[in-house]
Amino acid sequence: MTAVSNDKEPKNRTIEERIIIERDKLLRFIKERNDYIKSLPDIEKKAFIASIEKIKESEDKIERLFLKKKLKRGIDDLLFSLEELPLFGKEYWFMKFTAGDGSRRQFFLMFGRSADDIEINGRYVENNQMINDKTEGYCVSWAYDEIHRSITDDLGFIEVKDERVTCSNNDIKADFYGAFPKYVLDISKDGKKICCLDIREPAHETYNSELSEDFKGLFGYRFANLYFDFNGVLFDKDFSGKCYAQKVIVVGPFMPWKWSRIVFRNGSILTYYIPSIEIGGVEYNIHNSMEFYDAEDKKMHRFKKARVYEYPSEKGDKRWVITAEEGKVFMVMKSYCKESFSFMNNFNFSYVENLVDVVDFQIETEDGRVITLKETGDGLGMVEDTSGFVM
């Protein structure tokens, strides 16, 4: 966690001293935030509270969607909407496409916005009001297609209309549209089509989508995830495989996390998610989960106590060793490409997307099966590295 400050701290401080310093920084920032809210005029304070209630608007809404079997409608409602974000609110779309033909091709599109002014990759993004379901935001798109390809990294506009969300800037126009379970992503750059993908619910798969929310006090999240198949064209070449599309609304800070999604040649998928808070260089896990979807038996296997060990390399091909439940999961990954991002708002936050190959893999399921790369085929995916803190 790195605060924006000109004060230089001695390098010889003890861990206990660093923990106290970092804790005090965080508490001081929270106090300043609370004082700011208290200082707002009554009309703005009421608007702030009302906007939070609107985000949370209906208690148990998700549970009712499940009970009424309206999960599909709920996913589209979230995908194709722009929320009135409260203070500390963030809203973004994240789409990841991984080839299923044994190549290393991967493609990414991310766009979103924040209720607060924020600096992203050195560009200042102002909080702007929505006008006719259109607002300003930020857009990033890149790919690995035998070489690293940067498509866009700049300010842009986000518009939602008629079951379609469009993000555009000086470089690209990206249209995502459709209705569960069929969607299309079209992207043009400088007037030329670079991407046209049909996104479909996988046949014979139970692991395909989810909708969830959790609000505690003033903070929380709501998200929709699609675990779909896709096929189409990227850079004038056939492109097909597994798609991960996500829409998230977060009310609260960005804190460090470890996340990875690996797609194996036979369609199996491994993911882990470990958000944490860092104090004085020491990480404390807030949550810890790992899931392995076995495409052969169509079953989800869950593991606890996931651990991630990172090993930098002078050549740049960083390694990760992943374990869980005392050796029931063992995986080694090596990076072959990466894209880095920085966020600044009172604090600094660093976010790195690493594209990786699976070098070694073995997993023991609860029924005693041992699965290796021999059964799954090669693995390919992304590892996210994050550090710092930003409101």
Side-chain angles (χ1 to χ4, degrees):
M1 184 184 300
T2 307
V4 180
S5 172
N6 293 323
D7 298 332
K8 293 185 177 181
E9 298 175 3
K11 295 182 179 180
N12 60 349
R13 291 194 186 278
T14 66
I15 291 178
E16 290 80 6
E17 288 174 326
R18 291 203 301 270
I19 289 175
I20 292 171
I21 290 170
E22 298 294 343
R23 181 203 63 190
D24 289 345
K25 284 180 182 177
L26 179 57
L27 291 177
R28 185 166 60 251
F29 178 74
I30 292 173
K31 181 180 183 302
E32 290 173 356
R33 178 206 64 190
N34 291 339
D35 290 343
Y36 169 75
I37 295 172
K38 291 177 182 178
S39 69
L40 291 173
D42 286 344
I43 189 169
E44 291 187 24
K45 194 179 300 181
K46 288 178 181 178
F48 167 70
I49 295 172
S51 64
I52 291 176
E53 291 305 318
K54 189 170 182 179
I55 285 286
K56 296 165 61 175
E57 62 184 352
S58 182
E59 199 171 328
D60 300 326
K61 179 179 180 181
I62 297 301
E63 285 78 358
R64 290 206 305 276
L65 286 171
F66 279 113
L67 289 172
K68 295 180 180 180
K69 298 183 179 180
K70 291 185 179 178
L71 172 63
K72 298 173 183 179
R73 180 65 259 169
I75 285 176
D76 283 347
D77 285 344
L78 191 55
L79 286 174
F80 303 114
S81 67
L82 283 169
E83 295 284 352
E84 292 286 351
L85 295 176
L87 197 62
F88 315 126
K90 304 165 188 65
E91 179 175 40
Y92 58 89
W93 290 255
F94 175 87
M95 301 180 192
K96 174 182 181 294
F97 301 87
T98 305
D101 59 3
S103 71
R104 285 174 151 186
R105 297 174 78 197
Q106 298 195 62
F107 171 67
F108 307 88
L109 171 67
M110 295 82 70
F111 56 92
R113 64 196 187 97
S114 171
D116 308 292
D117 295 352
I118 191 168
E119 187 176 305
I120 304 176
N121 292 348
R123 297 174 178 87
Y124 193 74
V125 187
E126 293 185 1
N127 170 34
N128 287 277
Q129 299 295 320
M130 285 189 295
I131 301 176
N132 297 325
D133 296 317
K134 187 175 183 179
T135 186
E136 291 188 33
Y138 202 87
C139 181
V140 174
S141 183
W142 68 289
Y144 184 84
D145 183 49
E146 299 177 0
I147 61 172
H148 180 285
R149 291 175 177 262
S150 179
I151 300 168
T152 190
D153 178 1
D154 208 344
L155 306 177
F157 290 94
I158 303 169
E159 182 177 15
V160 173
K161 188 176 182 180
D162 301 328
E163 303 298 310
R164 175 187 299 255
V165 56
T166 300
C167 183
S168 59
N169 60 21
N170 292 330
D171 296 323
I172 71 164
K173 180 180 179 182
D175 282 318
F176 179 71
Y177 56 94
F180 195 100
K182 298 179 180 180
Y183 303 94
V184 175
L185 176 65
D186 283 334
I187 301 180
S188 298
K189 181 178 176 69
D190 299 326
K192 180 183 178 182
K193 187 83 71 176
I194 63 169
C195 168
C196 184
L197 303 175
D198 291 321
I199 302 167
R200 300 288 185 268
E201 184 179 27
H204 314 300
E205 300 283 6
T206 57
Y207 176 54
N208 55 35
S209 59
E210 63 181 324
L211 180 66
S212 183
E213 69 175 11
D214 184 22
F215 281 93
K216 295 179 181 178
L218 298 180
F219 300 117
Y221 65 82
R222 177 180 295 163
F223 69 78
N225 288 340
L226 299 177
Y227 308 106
F228 276 22
D229 291 345
F230 74 91
N231 64 80
V233 175
L234 176 68
F235 302 123
D236 297 322
K237 294 183 289 185
D238 290 343
F239 186 42
S240 63
K242 292 291 183 182
C243 165
Y244 171 61
Q246 180 185 67
K247 164 68 183 297
V248 178
I249 299 167
V250 177
V251 182
F254 276 159
M255 294 184 291
W257 69 78
K258 293 181 173 66
W259 179 87
S260 180
R261 176 175 168 83
I262 302 299
V263 177
F264 294 92
R265 187 71 182 275
N266 74 341
S268 296
I269 297 172
L270 185 141
T271 61
Y272 61 77
Y273 176 53
I274 311 173
S276 60
I277 186 168
E278 181 182 326
I279 300 177
V282 180
E283 289 187 356
Y284 300 89
N285 290 352
I286 298 171
H287 174 79
N288 188 305
S289 65
M290 176 183 286
E291 297 179 338
F292 175 70
Y293 176 73
D294 186 351
E296 295 298 322
D297 64 8
K298 306 292 188 295
K299 288 179 63 177
M300 181 71 74
H301 304 277
R302 293 179 171 83
F303 299 89
K304 300 177 181 179
K305 300 179 181 178
R307 294 180 178 273
V308 180
Y309 304 92
E310 302 177 5
Y311 297 94
S313 168
E314 292 182 1
K315 297 181 180 180
D317 52 349
K318 188 174 181 179
R319 266 81 164 175
W320 292 263
V321 176
I322 315 301
T323 65
E325 295 190 11
E326 299 180 351
K328 286 187 177 180
V329 177
F330 178 80
M331 182 168 65
V332 181
M333 299 178 291
K334 182 175 75 170
S335 66
Y336 62 87
C337 188
K338 70 178 182 179
E339 187 84 358
S340 300
F341 309 91
S342 65
F343 300 80
M344 182 179 293
N345 178 4
N346 293 297
F347 289 77
N348 296 331
F349 187 78
S350 173
Y351 169 63
V352 183
E353 296 176 336
N354 302 273
L355 305 191
V356 298
D357 294 312
V358 177
V359 177
D360 194 6
F361 175 70
Q362 180 173 303
I363 192 166
E364 182 181 342
T365 64
E366 61 272 14
D367 56 7
R369 289 181 62 215
V370 176
I371 303 171
T372 67
L373 289 177
K374 183 178 180 181
E375 288 76 34
T376 64
D378 295 339
L380 182 75
M382 172 190 280
V383 173
E384 291 183 343
D385 274 345
T386 65
S387 62
F389 180 88
V390 70
M391 288 301 297

